[in-house]
Amino acid sequence: MSKELIDAIIEMREEDAVAITQKLLDDGADSLAVLDACREAMGIIGKRFETGESFIPELILAGEILGQISAIIKPRMQQAGESKKLGKIVLGTVQGDIHDIAKDIVGFMLDINGFEVTDLGVDVPPARFVEAVKQTGAKIVGLSGFLTLAFDPMKYTVQALRDAGLSDVKVMIGGGQIDEQIRQYTGADAYGKDAMAAVALAKSWS
């Protein structure tokens, strides 16, 4: 049945994916097993995107499907006490950039892997990240940016966190153009090439 769910997500059959999720849970499937199937499907979609077999519209639709599945699963996980939080993370697309597909997928994956995520949305100024970290007590910040113009706002945000005395907060960055050179330029602690890399980083810091 989980293979059916993976296939439904990969083939962008939204209604089927939601129906299969509901049936799996109603039949007593473990919430985490269902989420593992979602993770596997997103990994396949991500690889297809990298190789040019899938495009932005597919990523958007996959994100919407994940959102619906998440809405079904989260209440059950909370009731079952399965959602022990590993830590708090503040996430957002930096000032000047309004791309949110990758950020949303990262947020979803962090959430289902046990993190309490505060998503600030897109076009977020450095001061807002600082404010959110102080409000939530988060020890990890994720900065997303798809365009090259996001590099400077990322750098300014890292500096703003340091200037605010939040030097113990770990900062990860990610996005289409991000690599080790950009990580060094921005002063971030690490960069993640995809959502699972972000999850691995967050777990290593928790």
Side-chain angles (χ1 to χ4, degrees):
M1 193 78 180
S2 64
K3 185 180 184 310
E4 285 181 42
L5 177 58
I6 291 167
D7 289 344
I9 295 171
I10 292 169
E11 293 162 13
M12 306 295 160
R13 290 185 280 112
E14 191 169 359
E15 289 182 9
D16 287 351
V18 171
I20 292 166
T21 298
Q22 194 71 60
K23 183 165 187 347
L24 281 167
L25 294 170
D26 289 346
D27 289 348
D30 179 48
S31 300
L32 294 175
V34 176
L35 291 173
D36 277 336
C38 292
R39 273 203 288 271
E40 192 174 330
M42 286 309 298
I44 294 167
I45 292 167
K47 284 190 177 69
R48 288 182 177 178
F49 180 71
E50 285 172 14
T51 57
E53 295 172 69
S54 291
F55 302 95
I56 295 290
E58 282 91 343
L59 286 184
I60 294 172
L61 183 52
E64 289 173 355
I65 293 171
L66 283 180
Q68 290 193 55
I69 291 173
S70 175
I72 296 168
I73 291 178
K74 274 187 202 171
R76 291 178 184 248
M77 290 183 74
Q78 283 156 0
Q79 284 170 8
E82 294 172 26
S83 55
K84 177 173 173 277
K85 293 301 179 187
L86 297 177
K88 296 179 179 181
I89 296 179
V90 170
L91 185 67
T93 301
V94 294
Q95 192 164 27
D97 197 327
I98 57 168
H99 290 85
D100 62 358
I101 301 160
K103 171 187 66 64
D104 289 350
I105 293 171
V106 168
F108 177 84
M109 298 304 277
L110 287 167
D111 186 23
I112 65 176
N113 275 279
F115 291 91
E116 186 178 322
V117 180
T118 300
D119 188 342
L120 302 180
V122 300
D123 193 21
V124 183
R128 181 71 188 97
F129 282 103
V130 172
E131 180 188 341
V133 168
K134 288 180 174 176
Q135 284 174 345
T136 62
K139 293 301 179 188
I140 302 173
V141 172
L143 305 179
S144 178
F146 188 74
L147 306 171
T148 54
L149 58 76
F151 299 162
D152 281 341
M154 284 181 172
K155 182 175 183 167
Y156 301 150
T157 301
V158 172
Q159 191 58 50
L161 290 164
R162 305 295 178 247
D163 290 346
L166 300 168
S167 53
D168 61 331
V169 173
K170 293 284 192 180
V171 181
M172 66 170 84
I173 60 174
Q177 318 283 328
I178 305 297
D179 57 20
E180 175 59 20
Q181 188 177 349
I182 302 306
R183 184 204 67 76
Q184 291 178 13
Y185 174 75
T186 62
D189 294 288
Y191 79 96
K193 63 180 176 54
D194 56 31
M196 289 316 295
V199 170
L201 279 171
K203 285 184 173 178
S204 74
W205 289 337
S206 297

